[in-house]
Amino acid sequence: MSSSGREQFGSSLTYIMAMAGSAIGLGNIWRFPYMVGEHGGGAFIIAYIICGLFLAVPCFICEAMIGRRGRRDVYGSFEHLAPGTKWKWMGGVSVLASFIIVSFYCVVGGWSLDFLVRSLSGHLSQGDPEAAAGVFQRMASGTIEPISMYVAFLLATAIIVVGGVKKGIERFTKITTPLLFFLMVAMVIYSVSLPGAMAGVKYLLQPDISKLDASGWACALGQAFFSMSLGMGTVLVYSSFMKKEDSILKGGLWTAVSDTVFAIIAGFAIMPAVFSAGIEPTAGPSLVYETLPYIFAKMGAEAPVLSFVMTVVFFLAILSAALTSSISMLEVCIEHAVHRFGCKRWTAAVVFLIPILALGVPCVLSFGGLSGFKIFGLTVFDLCDYLSSNVLMTLGALAFALFVGWYMKKDDVRDELTNGGTLGLSGKAFKPLYFFIRWVVPPAIIIIFVSTLV
Ligand code: TRP
């Protein structure tokens, strides 16, 4: 497939906005707080920041480099950069991982849509705070309602993706991400002021390092990769649309910083309210959706109109953050089908929707009719969640790092990072970064990965 005439992001800001749009999503608002709750609070945050800075950022740079140099989908980029080798199989692995992630991610996207509908009817902002946690349980354990919301969210994702990368993505990210940021900050302030919330603040700020075991580290690494959309081709495919003059290092750092700030703010918006409401921090995937109705109902008891507006705008913003992430996953699948089989984007979307639905519906029902159905002790939803971040993405990111560190020529890596020697800062960063990519990143990922198996 020729790379000439390939669409490009208009500017480096647009690239960063699109990357941040993919990175900032339910991973920050829904997944991060529940991971923090499951792995001992502040200690997990420290592990997460270490993994993010020292492992996820270098892995981001590797994946972006392969995409921009390859200028194709995952399969095509590897075929182009390593002709005649098995590296191109990474294309298949990426499609598999994206497919699994999109299948369960849309479940949480569907919950957000459901909550938006409920907030429009005033249902969330005017209820009884004590009964609020039950709203989620009743909704998620149903059948028709969560499945229809799932399908609606998935269809919205597919429709945006088929619209094309530029049109689809650029329009979305610009307004809603800053909006979400301000709403979350407001929620931190409110959440911290709730009765009993200080226990939650302490939980986040006084890390108990003894709580951090091998599984905590593995989950911190998996969360860092999940949150930065790493290891399964999203960064690669987006970067294939990146201009030659833009800085990969800058893209990686900006994505990491904005993504981490969002996650930590979400932690501080949710955890104090968890303690105030008396919800178990270890509740798992349901944690945030049990806590949010409590926050909004409390707010509604004091200022009903404000709470109503805030709830509607908040879920609208979450929904759009979730969509800019889910489109980035489906994009990997669609790019693959278009480049490998030359089919139209909409044909590819229709073809992928069938298996996604087949896996997605059992994921939805994992909170209801299928909650007792377990594989390796996990529900279908939990298995997809675990398998994708802790196994597929971790191994995917490792493969990308090995490719850049050990397969690509050093001069090519330097050329790509510094844009042919024109970027001073990246030039200075090259030596330590290259050393890191070769000697620190792969062993660290392997050690963390293997320690959880043992
Ligand atoms: N990073 C996104 C979030 O935090 C989720 C996401 C988008 C993703 N694309 C991905 C996760 C690719 C893994 C791989 O919500």
Side-chain angles (χ1 to χ4, degrees), residues 19-31 63 97-98 101 104-105 222-235 238 259 321-322 324-330 332 388-389 393:
M19 249 1 292
S22 163
I24 297 166
L26 298 167
N28 310 60
I29 296 150
W30 155 75
R31 201 171 188 280
E63 191 174 334
S98 318
I101 297 176
F104 84 84
Y105 197 85
Q223 174 61 24
F225 285 166
F226 186 91
S227 199
M228 276 183 73
S229 309
L230 284 176
M232 40 131 294
T234 289
V235 173
Y238 273 29
D259 185 55
T324 52
S325 299
S326 61
I327 56 183
S328 76
M329 302 166 194
L330 194 61
V332 174
S388 53
S389 2
M393 294 171 61

Side-chain angles (χ1 to χ4, degrees), residues 20-21 24 172-182 262 320 324:
I24 297 166
F172 250 76
T173 14
K174 283 184 183 150
I175 315 158
T176 50
T177 316
L179 188 65
L180 186 63
F181 179 81
F182 289 115
F262 257 89
S320 111
T324 52

Side-chain angles (χ1 to χ4, degrees), residues 405-445:
W406 295 94
Y407 183 88
M408 271 172 79
K409 290 202 198 79
K410 187 174 178 180
D411 286 342
D412 290 346
V413 178
R414 185 188 290 115
D415 179 63
E416 200 55 46
L417 189 77
T418 62
N419 295 355
T422 58
L423 298 174
L425 183 66
S426 302
K428 285 203 192 93
F430 176 71
K431 251 186 146 175
L433 189 65
Y434 190 64
F435 175 85
F436 226 77
I437 290 171
R438 279 166 75 92
W439 296 106
V440 180
V441 172
I445 296 180

